[in-house]
Amino acid sequence: MILGSSAGSRCGATTSPKRRILLTNRELGAEAHGKGVQLGLNFADTAPELFAGLEMGEDALRVLNDYRKLHARITADVKAELPQVRAAVAWSKRM
């Protein structure tokens, strides 16, 4: 038996070389039309992002819902204080 010739091994498969990545021989599913090699690729670990994805605005719907909850809470607080504000305005008119 020759290594790489089994049905389960695809490392040496050359059925469509234009549809495979050069170094890994992985099937792309479509023909790659590259004319050269991209130099300067850096696959080293990078520093983590400063903010999480949610904090950078990836989920606008979540932010909108948070805003709506905050707005409702502020509106309720203002409505609760409105009688005291009206009473203060009425008192100040008498002074």
Side-chain angles (χ1 to χ4, degrees):
M1 180 173 126
I2 299 172
L3 284 177
S5 64
S6 67
S9 174
R10 297 287 180 220
C11 293
T14 57
T15 54
S16 59
K18 291 184 178 184
R19 296 171 52 134
R20 296 187 174 277
I21 297 176
L22 176 64
L23 297 176
T24 63
N25 205 25
R26 184 173 184 122
E27 176 71 38
L28 296 175
E31 207 170 289
H33 297 287
K35 297 289 183 191
V37 176
Q38 184 176 353
L39 300 176
L41 294 177
N42 183 3
F43 295 105
D45 289 338
T46 58
E49 292 288 340
L50 184 58
F51 297 101
L54 294 177
E55 294 168 342
M56 293 193 320
E58 288 182 0
D59 193 352
L61 187 57
R62 180 191 56 82
V63 172
L64 179 60
N65 286 332
D66 289 349
Y67 170 79
R68 290 176 60 214
K69 290 175 188 175
L70 181 61
H71 183 268
R73 197 169 69 228
I74 291 171
T75 302
D77 289 348
V78 168
K79 286 180 182 179
E81 293 295 323
L82 198 52
Q84 288 83 359
V85 172
R86 287 186 178 141
V89 169
W91 177 82
S92 69
K93 286 180 182 179
R94 292 188 301 230
M95 296 311 244

Coordinates of all heavy atoms in Angstrom, one line a residue:
M1 N 0.8 -1.2 0.0 CA 0.0 0.0 0.0 C 0.9 1.2 0.0 O 1.8 1.4 0.8 CB -0.9 0.0 1.2 CG -1.8 1.2 1.3 SD -2.9 1.0 2.7 CE -2.6 2.5 3.5
I2 N 0.5 2.2 -0.8 CA 1.3 3.4 -0.9 C 0.6 4.5 0.0 O -0.6 4.6 0.0 CB 1.3 4.0 -2.4 CG1 2.0 2.9 -3.3 CG2 2.0 5.3 -2.5 CD1 1.8 3.3 -4.7
L3 N 1.4 5.2 0.8 CA 0.9 6.2 1.7 C 0.2 7.3 0.9 O 0.6 7.7 -0.1 CB 2.0 6.8 2.5 CG 2.6 6.0 3.6 CD1 3.8 6.8 4.3 CD2 1.5 5.7 4.7
G4 N -1.0 7.7 1.5 CA -1.7 8.8 0.9 C -2.6 8.3 -0.3 O -3.3 9.1 -0.9
S5 N -2.7 7.0 -0.5 CA -3.5 6.6 -1.7 C -4.8 6.0 -1.2 O -5.6 5.7 -2.1 CB -2.7 5.5 -2.4 OG -2.5 4.4 -1.6
S6 N -5.1 6.0 0.1 CA -6.4 5.4 0.5 C -7.5 6.4 0.2 O -7.2 7.6 0.0 CB -6.3 5.2 2.0 OG -6.2 6.4 2.7
A7 N -8.7 5.9 0.2 CA -9.8 6.8 -0.1 C -10.0 7.9 0.9 O -10.5 8.9 0.6 CB -11.1 5.9 -0.2
G8 N -9.7 7.6 2.2 CA -9.9 8.6 3.2 C -8.8 9.7 3.2 O -9.0 10.8 3.8
S9 N -7.7 9.5 2.6 CA -6.6 10.5 2.6 C -6.7 11.3 1.4 O -6.7 10.8 0.2 CB -5.2 9.8 2.6 OG -4.2 10.7 2.5
R10 N -6.7 12.6 1.5 CA -6.8 13.5 0.4 C -5.5 14.4 0.2 O -5.5 15.3 -0.5 CB -8.0 14.5 0.6 CG -9.3 13.8 0.6 CD -9.7 13.3 -0.8 NE -10.9 12.6 -0.8 CZ -11.2 11.5 -1.5 NH1 -10.2 11.0 -2.2 NH2 -12.3 10.9 -1.4
C11 N -4.5 14.1 1.0 CA -3.3 14.9 1.0 C -2.6 14.9 -0.4 O -2.1 15.9 -0.8 CB -2.3 14.5 2.0 SG -2.8 14.7 3.7
G12 N -2.7 13.8 -1.1 CA -2.0 13.7 -2.4 C -3.0 13.8 -3.5 O -2.6 13.6 -4.7
A13 N -4.2 14.1 -3.3 CA -5.2 14.2 -4.4 C -4.9 15.3 -5.3 O -4.6 16.4 -5.0 CB -6.6 14.4 -3.8
T14 N -5.0 15.0 -6.6 CA -4.7 15.9 -7.7 C -5.8 16.0 -8.7 O -5.5 16.3 -9.9 CB -3.3 15.6 -8.3 OG1 -3.4 14.3 -8.9 CG2 -2.2 15.8 -7.4
T15 N -7.0 15.6 -8.3 CA -8.1 15.6 -9.3 C -8.4 17.0 -9.9 O -8.7 17.1 -11.1 CB -9.4 15.0 -8.7 OG1 -9.7 15.8 -7.5 CG2 -9.2 13.6 -8.3
S16 N -8.3 18.0 -9.1 CA -8.5 19.4 -9.6 C -7.5 20.3 -8.9 O -7.9 21.0 -8.0 CB -9.9 19.8 -9.5 OG -10.3 19.8 -8.1
P17 N -6.3 20.4 -9.3 CA -5.3 21.2 -8.6 C -5.6 22.7 -8.6 O -5.2 23.4 -7.7 CB -4.0 20.9 -9.4 CG -4.4 20.3 -10.7 CD -5.7 19.7 -10.5
K18 N -6.4 23.2 -9.6 CA -6.7 24.6 -9.6 C -7.8 25.0 -8.6 O -8.1 26.1 -8.4 CB -7.2 25.0 -11.0 CG -6.1 24.9 -12.1 CD -6.6 25.4 -13.4 CE -5.5 25.4 -14.4 NZ -5.9 26.0 -15.7
R19 N -8.4 24.0 -7.9 CA -9.4 24.2 -6.9 C -8.8 23.9 -5.5 O -9.6 23.8 -4.6 CB -10.6 23.3 -7.2 CG -11.3 23.6 -8.5 CD -12.3 22.6 -8.8 NE -13.2 22.4 -7.7 CZ -14.5 22.3 -7.7 NH1 -15.1 22.4 -8.9 NH2 -15.3 22.2 -6.7
R20 N -7.5 23.8 -5.4 CA -6.9 23.5 -4.1 C -5.9 24.5 -3.7 O -5.3 25.1 -4.5 CB -6.2 22.1 -4.2 CG -7.2 21.0 -4.5 CD -6.6 19.6 -4.4 NE -7.6 18.6 -4.6 CZ -8.4 18.2 -3.6 NH1 -8.2 18.6 -2.3 NH2 -9.3 17.3 -3.8
I21 N -5.8 24.7 -2.3 CA -4.8 25.6 -1.8 C -3.4 24.9 -1.9 O -3.3 23.7 -1.6 CB -5.2 25.9 -0.3 CG1 -6.5 26.6 -0.3 CG2 -4.1 26.8 0.3 CD1 -7.0 26.9 1.2
L22 N -2.4 25.7 -2.2 CA -1.1 25.2 -2.5 C -0.5 24.4 -1.3 O -0.1 23.3 -1.5 CB -0.2 26.3 -2.9 CG 1.3 25.9 -3.1 CD1 1.4 25.0 -4.3 CD2 2.1 27.2 -3.4
L23 N -0.4 25.0 -0.1 CA 0.3 24.4 1.0 C -0.5 23.3 1.6 O 0.1 22.3 2.1 CB 0.7 25.4 2.0 CG 1.7 26.5 1.5 CD1 1.9 27.5 2.5 CD2 3.0 25.9 1.0
T24 N -1.8 23.4 1.7 CA -2.6 22.4 2.4 C -3.3 21.4 1.5 O -3.8 20.4 1.9 CB -3.6 23.1 3.3 OG1 -4.6 23.8 2.4 CG2 -3.0 24.0 4.3
N25 N -3.3 21.7 0.2 CA -4.0 20.9 -0.8 C -5.5 20.8 -0.4 O -6.2 19.9 -0.8 CB -3.4 19.6 -0.9 CG -3.7 19.0 -2.3 OD1 -3.9 19.7 -3.2 ND2 -3.6 17.7 -2.4
R26 N -6.0 21.8 0.3 CA -7.5 21.7 0.7 C -8.3 22.2 -0.5 O -8.0 23.1 -1.2 CB -7.7 22.6 1.9 CG -9.1 22.6 2.4 CD -9.2 23.4 3.7 NE -10.6 23.2 4.2 CZ -10.9 22.7 5.3 NH1 -9.9 22.4 6.2 NH2 -12.1 22.6 5.7
E27 N -9.4 21.5 -0.6 CA -10.4 21.8 -1.7 C -11.1 23.1 -1.4 O -11.6 23.3 -0.3 CB -11.4 20.7 -1.8 CG -12.5 20.9 -2.8 CD -12.0 20.8 -4.2 OE1 -11.2 20.0 -4.6 OE2 -12.5 21.6 -5.1
L28 N -11.1 24.0 -2.4 CA -11.7 25.3 -2.2 C -13.2 25.3 -2.7 O -14.0 26.1 -2.2 CB -11.0 26.4 -3.0 CG -9.6 26.7 -2.6 CD1 -9.0 27.7 -3.6 CD2 -9.6 27.3 -1.2
G29 N -13.5 24.4 -3.6 CA -14.9 24.4 -4.1 C -15.1 25.2 -5.4 O -16.1 25.2 -6.0
A30 N -14.1 26.0 -5.7 CA -14.1 26.8 -6.9 C -12.7 27.0 -7.4 O -11.7 26.8 -6.6 CB -14.7 28.2 -6.6
E31 N -12.5 27.3 -8.6 CA -11.2 27.5 -9.2 C -10.5 28.7 -8.6 O -11.1 29.8 -8.6 CB -11.3 27.5 -10.7 CG -10.0 27.0 -11.4 CD -10.2 26.9 -12.9 OE1 -10.9 26.0 -13.3 OE2 -9.6 27.7 -13.6
A32 N -9.3 28.6 -8.2 CA -8.5 29.8 -7.7 C -7.7 30.3 -8.9 O -7.0 29.6 -9.6 CB -7.6 29.4 -6.6
H33 N -7.8 31.6 -9.1 CA -7.1 32.3 -10.3 C -6.0 33.1 -9.9 O -5.7 34.1 -10.5 CB -8.2 33.1 -11.1 CG -9.3 32.3 -11.6 ND1 -9.1 31.5 -12.7 CD2 -10.6 32.2 -11.2 CE1 -10.3 30.9 -13.0 NE2 -11.2 31.4 -12.1
G34 N -5.3 32.7 -8.8 CA -4.1 33.5 -8.4 C -3.0 33.4 -9.3 O -2.7 32.4 -9.9
K35 N -2.2 34.5 -9.5 CA -1.1 34.5 -10.4 C 0.2 34.6 -9.6 O 1.3 34.6 -10.1 CB -1.1 35.8 -11.3 CG -2.3 35.8 -12.2 CD -2.1 34.7 -13.3 CE -3.3 34.8 -14.2 NZ -3.4 33.7 -15.1
G36 N 0.2 34.7 -8.2 CA 1.4 34.8 -7.5 C 1.1 34.4 -6.0 O 0.0 34.0 -5.7
V37 N 2.2 34.5 -5.2 CA 2.1 34.2 -3.8 C 2.0 35.6 -3.0 O 2.8 36.5 -3.3 CB 3.3 33.4 -3.4 CG1 3.3 33.1 -1.9 CG2 3.3 32.1 -4.1
Q38 N 1.1 35.7 -2.1 CA 1.0 36.9 -1.3 C 2.1 36.8 -0.2 O 2.1 36.0 0.7 CB -0.3 37.0 -0.7 CG -0.5 38.3 0.1 CD -1.9 38.5 0.6 OE1 -2.8 37.7 0.3 NE2 -2.2 39.5 1.4
L39 N 3.0 37.8 -0.2 CA 4.1 37.8 0.7 C 3.7 38.6 2.0 O 2.8 39.4 1.9 CB 5.4 38.4 0.1 CG 5.9 37.7 -1.1 CD1 7.1 38.5 -1.7 CD2 6.3 36.3 -0.8
G40 N 4.4 38.3 3.0 CA 4.2 39.1 4.2 C 3.0 38.7 5.1 O 2.6 39.5 5.9
L41 N 2.4 37.6 4.9 CA 1.3 37.1 5.7 C 1.9 36.8 7.1 O 2.9 36.1 7.2 CB 0.6 35.9 5.1 CG -0.1 36.2 3.8 CD1 -0.7 34.8 3.3 CD2 -1.2 37.2 4.0
N42 N 1.2 37.3 8.1 CA 1.6 37.1 9.5 C 0.6 36.3 10.2 O -0.5 36.8 10.5 CB 1.8 38.4 10.2 CG 2.4 38.3 11.6 OD1 2.7 37.2 12.0 ND2 2.5 39.4 12.3
F43 N 0.9 35.0 10.5 CA 0.0 34.1 11.2 C 0.3 34.0 12.7 O -0.3 33.2 13.4 CB 0.0 32.8 10.5 CG -0.5 32.8 9.1 CD1 0.4 32.6 8.1 CD2 -1.8 32.9 8.9 CE1 -0.1 32.6 6.8 CE2 -2.3 32.9 7.6 CZ -1.4 32.8 6.5
A44 N 1.2 34.9 13.2 CA 1.5 34.9 14.6 C 0.3 35.4 15.4 O -0.6 36.1 14.9 CB 2.7 35.8 14.9
D45 N 0.3 35.0 16.7 CA -0.8 35.5 17.6 C -0.7 37.0 17.7 O 0.4 37.6 17.7 CB -0.6 34.9 19.0 CG -1.0 33.4 19.0 OD1 -1.7 32.9 18.1 OD2 -0.5 32.7 19.9
T46 N -1.9 37.6 17.7 CA -1.9 39.1 17.8 C -2.5 39.4 19.2 O -3.1 38.6 19.9 CB -2.8 39.7 16.7 OG1 -4.1 39.1 16.8 CG2 -2.3 39.4 15.3
A47 N -2.3 40.7 19.5 CA -2.9 41.2 20.8 C -4.4 41.1 20.7 O -5.0 41.4 19.6 CB -2.4 42.6 21.0
P48 N -5.1 40.9 21.8 CA -6.5 40.8 21.8 C -7.1 42.2 21.6 O -6.5 43.2 21.8 CB -6.9 40.3 23.2 CG -5.7 40.6 24.0 CD -4.5 40.6 23.1
E49 N -8.3 42.3 21.1 CA -9.0 43.5 20.8 C -9.2 44.3 22.2 O -9.4 43.6 23.2 CB -10.4 43.3 20.2 CG -10.3 42.8 18.8 CD -9.9 43.8 17.8 OE1 -10.0 45.0 18.1 OE2 -9.4 43.4 16.7
L50 N -9.2 45.6 22.1 CA -9.4 46.4 23.3 C -10.8 46.2 23.8 O -11.0 46.1 25.0 CB -9.1 47.8 23.0 CG -9.2 48.8 24.1 CD1 -8.2 48.4 25.2 CD2 -8.9 50.2 23.7
F51 N -11.8 46.2 23.0 CA -13.2 46.0 23.4 C -13.8 44.7 22.8 O -13.4 44.3 21.7 CB -14.1 47.2 22.9 CG -13.6 48.5 23.5 CD1 -12.9 49.4 22.8 CD2 -14.0 48.8 24.8 CE1 -12.4 50.6 23.3 CE2 -13.6 50.0 25.3 CZ -12.8 50.9 24.6
A52 N -14.8 44.2 23.5 CA -15.5 43.0 23.0 C -16.3 43.4 21.8 O -16.6 44.6 21.6 CB -16.3 42.4 24.1
G53 N -16.7 42.4 21.0 CA -17.5 42.7 19.8 C -18.8 43.4 20.1 O -19.2 44.3 19.3
L54 N -19.5 43.1 21.2 CA -20.7 43.8 21.5 C -20.5 45.2 21.8 O -21.3 46.1 21.6 CB -21.4 43.1 22.7 CG -21.9 41.7 22.4 CD1 -22.5 41.1 23.7 CD2 -23.0 41.7 21.4
E55 N -19.3 45.5 22.4 CA -19.0 46.9 22.8 C -18.6 47.7 21.6 O -18.7 49.0 21.6 CB -17.9 46.9 23.8 CG -18.3 46.3 25.2 CD -17.1 46.1 26.1 OE1 -16.0 46.1 25.6 OE2 -17.3 45.9 27.3
M56 N -18.3 47.1 20.5 CA -17.9 47.8 19.3 C -19.1 48.0 18.3 O -18.9 48.4 17.2 CB -16.7 47.1 18.6 CG -15.5 47.1 19.5 SD -13.9 46.7 18.7 CE -14.3 45.3 17.6
G57 N -20.3 47.7 18.7 CA -21.4 48.0 17.9 C -21.8 46.9 17.0 O -22.5 47.1 16.0
E58 N -21.4 45.6 17.2 CA -21.8 44.6 16.3 C -23.3 44.2 16.4 O -23.8 43.7 15.5 CB -21.0 43.3 16.6 CG -19.5 43.4 16.2 CD -18.8 42.2 16.5 OE1 -19.3 41.2 17.0 OE2 -17.6 42.1 16.2
D59 N -23.9 44.6 17.5 CA -25.3 44.2 17.7 C -26.1 45.4 17.9 O -26.4 45.8 19.1 CB -25.4 43.2 18.9 CG -26.7 42.6 19.0 OD1 -27.6 43.0 18.2 OD2 -26.9 41.7 19.8
A60 N -26.5 46.1 16.8 CA -27.2 47.4 16.9 C -28.6 47.2 17.6 O -29.1 48.0 18.3 CB -27.4 48.0 15.5
L61 N -29.2 46.0 17.3 CA -30.5 45.8 17.9 C -30.4 45.7 19.4 O -31.3 46.2 20.1 CB -31.1 44.5 17.3 CG -32.5 44.1 17.7 CD1 -33.5 45.3 17.3 CD2 -33.0 42.8 17.1
R62 N -29.4 45.1 19.9 CA -29.2 45.0 21.4 C -29.0 46.4 22.0 O -29.6 46.8 23.0 CB -28.0 44.2 21.7 CG -27.7 44.1 23.2 CD -26.3 43.5 23.5 NE -25.2 44.2 22.9 CZ -24.7 45.3 23.5 NH1 -25.1 45.8 24.6 NH2 -23.7 45.9 22.8
V63 N -28.3 47.3 21.3 CA -28.1 48.6 21.8 C -29.4 49.4 21.7 O -29.7 50.1 22.7 CB -27.0 49.4 20.9 CG1 -26.9 50.8 21.2 CG2 -25.7 48.7 21.1
L64 N -30.2 49.2 20.7 CA -31.5 49.9 20.6 C -32.4 49.4 21.7 O -33.1 50.3 22.3 CB -32.1 49.6 19.2 CG -33.5 50.2 19.0 CD1 -33.4 51.7 19.1 CD2 -34.0 49.8 17.6
N65 N -32.4 48.2 22.0 CA -33.3 47.7 23.1 C -32.8 48.2 24.4 O -33.6 48.6 25.3 CB -33.3 46.1 23.1 CG -34.1 45.6 22.0 OD1 -35.1 46.2 21.5 ND2 -33.8 44.4 21.5
D66 N -31.5 48.3 24.6 CA -31.0 48.9 25.9 C -31.4 50.3 26.0 O -31.8 50.8 27.1 CB -29.4 48.8 25.9 CG -28.9 47.3 26.1 OD1 -29.8 46.5 26.5 OD2 -27.7 47.1 26.0
Y67 N -31.3 51.1 24.9 CA -31.7 52.5 24.9 C -33.2 52.6 25.2 O -33.6 53.5 26.0 CB -31.4 53.1 23.5 CG -32.1 54.5 23.4 CD1 -31.5 55.6 23.9 CD2 -33.3 54.6 22.7 CE1 -32.0 56.8 23.8 CE2 -33.8 55.9 22.6 CZ -33.2 57.0 23.1 OH -33.8 58.2 23.0
R68 N -34.0 51.7 24.6 CA -35.5 51.8 24.9 C -35.8 51.6 26.4 O -36.6 52.2 27.0 CB -36.2 50.8 24.0 CG -36.2 51.2 22.5 CD -36.9 50.2 21.6 NE -38.2 50.0 22.0 CZ -38.9 48.8 22.0 NH1 -38.3 47.8 21.5 NH2 -40.1 48.8 22.3
K69 N -35.1 50.6 27.0 CA -35.3 50.3 28.4 C -34.9 51.5 29.2 O -35.6 51.9 30.2 CB -34.5 49.1 28.8 CG -35.1 47.8 28.2 CD -34.1 46.6 28.6 CE -34.6 45.4 27.9 NZ -33.6 44.3 28.1
L70 N -33.7 52.1 28.9 CA -33.2 53.3 29.7 C -34.2 54.4 29.5 O -34.5 55.1 30.5 CB -31.8 53.6 29.2 CG -31.2 54.8 29.9 CD1 -31.0 54.5 31.4 CD2 -29.8 55.1 29.2
H71 N -34.7 54.7 28.3 CA -35.6 55.8 28.0 C -36.9 55.6 28.8 O -37.4 56.5 29.4 CB -35.9 55.8 26.5 CG -36.8 57.0 26.2 ND1 -38.2 56.8 26.1 CD2 -36.5 58.3 25.9 CE1 -38.7 58.0 25.8 NE2 -37.8 58.8 25.6
A72 N -37.4 54.3 28.8 CA -38.6 54.1 29.6 C -38.4 54.3 31.1 O -39.3 54.9 31.8 CB -39.1 52.6 29.3
R73 N -37.3 53.9 31.6 CA -37.0 54.1 33.0 C -36.9 55.6 33.4 O -37.4 56.1 34.4 CB -35.7 53.4 33.4 CG -35.5 53.2 34.9 CD -34.4 52.2 35.3 NE -33.1 52.8 34.9 CZ -32.2 52.2 34.3 NH1 -32.3 51.0 33.9 NH2 -31.0 52.8 34.0
I74 N -36.2 56.4 32.5 CA -36.1 57.8 32.7 C -37.4 58.5 32.6 O -37.8 59.4 33.5 CB -35.1 58.4 31.8 CG1 -33.7 57.9 32.1 CG2 -35.1 60.0 31.8 CD1 -32.6 58.3 31.0
T75 N -38.2 58.1 31.7 CA -39.6 58.7 31.5 C -40.4 58.4 32.7 O -41.1 59.3 33.2 CB -40.3 58.1 30.2 OG1 -39.4 58.4 29.1 CG2 -41.6 58.7 30.0
A76 N -40.4 57.2 33.3 CA -41.1 56.8 34.5 C -40.6 57.7 35.7 O -41.5 58.2 36.5 CB -41.0 55.4 34.8
D77 N -39.3 57.9 35.8 CA -38.8 58.7 36.9 C -39.3 60.1 36.8 O -39.6 60.8 37.8 CB -37.3 58.7 36.9 CG -36.7 57.3 37.4 OD1 -37.5 56.5 37.9 OD2 -35.5 57.1 37.2
V78 N -39.3 60.7 35.6 CA -39.7 62.1 35.3 C -41.2 62.2 35.7 O -41.6 63.1 36.4 CB -39.5 62.5 33.9 CG1 -40.2 63.8 33.6 CG2 -38.0 62.6 33.7
K79 N -42.0 61.2 35.3 CA -43.5 61.3 35.6 C -43.7 61.2 37.1 O -44.6 61.8 37.6 CB -44.2 60.1 34.9 CG -44.4 60.4 33.4 CD -45.1 59.2 32.7 CE -45.3 59.4 31.2 NZ -46.0 58.3 30.6
A80 N -42.8 60.4 37.8 CA -43.0 60.3 39.2 C -42.6 61.6 39.9 O -43.2 61.9 41.0 CB -42.1 59.1 39.7
E81 N -41.7 62.3 39.4 CA -41.3 63.6 40.0 C -42.1 64.8 39.6 O -42.0 65.9 40.2 CB -39.8 63.9 39.7 CG -38.9 62.9 40.3 CD -38.9 62.9 41.8 OE1 -39.0 64.1 42.4 OE2 -38.7 61.9 42.5
L82 N -42.9 64.6 38.5 CA -43.7 65.8 38.0 C -44.6 66.5 39.0 O -44.6 67.7 39.0 CB -44.5 65.3 36.8 CG -45.0 66.3 35.8 CD1 -43.9 67.3 35.4 CD2 -45.7 65.7 34.6
P83 N -45.3 65.8 39.9 CA -46.1 66.5 40.9 C -45.3 67.4 41.8 O -45.7 68.5 42.1 CB -46.8 65.3 41.7 CG -46.8 64.2 40.8 CD -45.6 64.3 39.9
Q84 N -44.1 66.9 42.2 CA -43.2 67.7 43.1 C -42.7 69.0 42.3 O -42.6 70.1 42.9 CB -42.0 66.9 43.6 CG -42.4 65.9 44.6 CD -42.9 64.6 44.0 OE1 -43.0 64.4 42.8 NE2 -43.2 63.7 44.9
V85 N -42.4 68.8 41.0 CA -41.9 69.9 40.2 C -43.1 70.9 40.0 O -42.8 72.2 40.2 CB -41.4 69.4 38.8 CG1 -41.1 70.6 37.9 CG2 -40.2 68.6 39.0
R86 N -44.3 70.5 39.8 CA -45.4 71.4 39.6 C -45.7 72.1 41.0 O -46.0 73.3 41.0 CB -46.6 70.6 39.2 CG -46.6 70.2 37.7 CD -47.9 69.6 37.3 NE -47.8 69.3 35.8 CZ -48.3 68.2 35.3 NH1 -48.9 67.3 36.0 NH2 -48.1 68.0 34.0
A87 N -45.6 71.4 42.1 CA -45.8 72.1 43.4 C -44.7 73.1 43.6 O -45.0 74.2 44.1 CB -45.8 71.0 44.5
A88 N -43.5 72.8 43.3 CA -42.4 73.8 43.4 C -42.6 75.0 42.6 O -42.4 76.1 43.0 CB -41.1 73.1 43.1
V89 N -43.1 74.8 41.3 CA -43.3 76.0 40.4 C -44.5 76.8 41.0 O -44.4 78.0 41.0 CB -43.6 75.5 39.0 CG1 -44.2 76.6 38.1 CG2 -42.4 74.8 38.4
A90 N -45.5 76.2 41.5 CA -46.6 76.9 42.1 C -46.2 77.7 43.3 O -46.6 78.8 43.5 CB -47.8 75.9 42.4
W91 N -45.3 77.1 44.2 CA -44.8 77.7 45.3 C -44.0 78.9 45.0 O -44.1 80.0 45.6 CB -44.1 76.7 46.2 CG -43.5 77.3 47.4 CD1 -44.1 77.5 48.6 CD2 -42.1 77.8 47.5 NE1 -43.2 78.1 49.5 CE2 -42.0 78.3 48.9 CE3 -41.0 77.8 46.7 CZ2 -40.8 78.8 49.3 CZ3 -39.8 78.3 47.2 CH2 -39.7 78.8 48.5
S92 N -43.1 78.7 43.9 CA -42.2 79.8 43.5 C -43.0 81.0 43.0 O -42.6 82.2 43.1 CB -41.2 79.4 42.5 OG -41.8 79.1 41.3
K93 N -44.2 80.8 42.4 CA -45.0 81.9 41.8 C -45.6 82.8 43.0 O -45.8 84.0 42.8 CB -46.1 81.4 41.0 CG -45.7 80.9 39.6 CD -46.8 80.4 38.8 CE -46.4 79.8 37.5 NZ -47.5 79.3 36.7
R94 N -45.8 82.2 44.2 CA -46.3 82.9 45.3 C -45.2 83.7 46.0 O -45.5 84.7 46.7 CB -46.9 81.9 46.3 CG -48.2 81.2 45.8 CD -48.8 80.5 46.9 NE -47.8 79.5 47.4 CZ -48.1 78.2 47.6 NH1 -49.4 77.7 47.3 NH2 -47.3 77.3 48.0
M95 N -44.0 83.4 45.8 CA -42.9 84.1 46.4 C -42.6 85.4 45.7 O -42.4 86.2 45.2 CB -41.7 83.3 46.6 CG -41.9 82.1 47.4 SD -42.6 82.5 48.9 CE -41.5 82.2 50.1

